[in-house]
Amino acid sequence: MLENNPDFPRFKRALSSSAFYSDSNDHSIMTLLESMVPERWIAKSYKSSAEVSSTFHFIISGRLKVFKSNPETGREHTVFVLSAGDVFDVLSLLDTKPHDVYWEALDTLEVLKIPMDKMREWINQNPEVHKAILYYLGERMRQLMDVATDVTLHSALVRLANLLLKNINGETRQLELINNLPNEEIAGLIGTTRAVVSRHIQELKRCGAISVGRKQINVKNLELLLAIAEEKYIA
């Protein structure tokens, strides 16, 4: 991408504010952008690992669902929902092997892409970025571990309450990242079915923890929701 591209300053700000590139200096960011190409994915479009395995992506705007699917049963499990500032696919970047997952744009997705070999070369040439990348990977690993243990140790209601709490803006008390997602998508994030999520949303409404309007979940009683998540609430 040329520096005279009208979106260049916006893309540069996005990269500089990302946790993945937090230790990168101005020169290294400029060098990286020179090899990046902007791309848009239409909302609800999806791609297989084979289609993205040769390129590394940085999300400028929109949300991306990373999921696995069983073709025999049609069941899906959502591994992550990524948003602005996130990158993919880190596993393919590290081990050079295809990552057996699918990628679906939940909204119109704006990304910057770069060939994998170019990205690896940039990382090798800028060792100061290694620490930030490790922190980013550590956070993703922690999320995966939390999901794995939650499915084993906690009920679907508790998992739903925890998911809502993790995505609440502390100041506005509004949901972020998972806001306006259909129940089927929420179910994929906590390892259950749409019917179970619908039932538990009604339970949370009845006890006064949340309200629902226009496909939007609003938190009414944060303390009550926290008590449910900590399994301290008795109806």
Side-chain angles (χ1 to χ4, degrees), residues 2 5 11 17 50 53 60-61 78 83 97 104 114 117 140 156 168 188 196 202-203 218:
L2 297 177
N5 185 307
F11 293 156
S17 62
S53 61
I60 296 293
S61 63
T78 302
S83 61
K97 298 177 182 178
E104 180 183 357
I114 181 173
D117 57 346
R140 290 295 173 209
I168 290 174
V196 170
Q202 293 306 313
E203 289 182 47
N218 300 298

Side-chain angles (χ1 to χ4, degrees), residues 45 125 135 198:
S45 63
Q125 291 175 348
Y135 280 147
S198 298

Side-chain angles (χ1 to χ4, degrees), residues 194-213:
R194 179 185 59 79
V196 170
V197 167
S198 298
R199 184 171 73 248
H200 287 324
I201 284 177
Q202 293 306 313
E203 289 182 47
L204 293 175
K205 283 177 60 179
R206 282 194 296 271
C207 73
I210 66 171
S211 63
V212 181

Side-chain angles (χ1 to χ4, degrees), residues 16-123:
S16 299
S17 62
S18 168
F20 192 83
Y21 298 106
S22 60
D23 289 336
S24 306
N25 58 47
D26 192 69
H27 174 73
S28 63
I29 290 291
M30 297 283 283
T31 303
L32 182 64
L33 270 173
E34 290 174 0
S35 299
M36 287 181 146
V37 176
E39 183 176 78
R40 284 183 180 270
W41 295 14
I42 300 172
K44 303 305 178 185
S45 63
Y46 74 94
K47 298 187 180 184
S48 67
S49 58
E51 295 176 273
V52 301
S53 61
S54 63
T55 48
F56 189 73
H57 298 76
F58 174 79
I59 301 177
I60 296 293
S61 63
R63 294 173 295 178
L64 179 74
K65 180 176 76 169
V66 186
F67 68 101
K68 300 202 73 163
S69 176
N70 185 330
E72 300 298 326
T73 64
R75 292 190 63 182
E76 293 182 1
H77 172 67
T78 302
V79 182
F80 292 118
V81 174
L82 305 178
S83 61
D86 284 321
V87 296
F88 65 99
D89 178 24
V90 177
L91 286 184
S92 295
L93 176 70
L94 296 177
D95 64 11
T96 73
K97 298 177 182 178
H99 189 186
D100 184 24
V101 292
Y102 292 91
W103 317 81
E104 180 183 357
L106 297 174
D107 318 296
T108 298
L109 192 72
E110 186 180 20
V111 301
L112 295 174
K113 66 178 184 179
I114 181 173
M116 279 289 187
D117 57 346
K118 287 281 188 180
M119 188 63 196
R120 294 188 189 104
E121 181 182 337
W122 180 84
I123 290 174

Side-chain angles (χ1 to χ4, degrees), residues 103-160:
W103 317 81
E104 180 183 357
L106 297 174
D107 318 296
T108 298
L109 192 72
E110 186 180 20
V111 301
L112 295 174
K113 66 178 184 179
I114 181 173
M116 279 289 187
D117 57 346
K118 287 281 188 180
M119 188 63 196
R120 294 188 189 104
E121 181 182 337
W122 180 84
I123 290 174
N124 289 333
Q125 291 175 348
N126 296 276
E128 70 276 4
V129 306
H130 294 176
K131 183 179 178 181
I133 292 175
L134 285 175
Y135 280 147
Y136 183 89
L137 291 173
E139 179 61 26
R140 290 295 173 209
M141 290 174 65
R142 187 181 300 276
Q143 291 177 18
L144 288 174
M145 185 174 68
D146 287 346
V147 169
T149 55
D150 282 351
V151 169
T152 304
L153 301 176
H154 303 298
S155 68
L157 176 61
V158 170
R159 299 201 303 272
L160 175 59

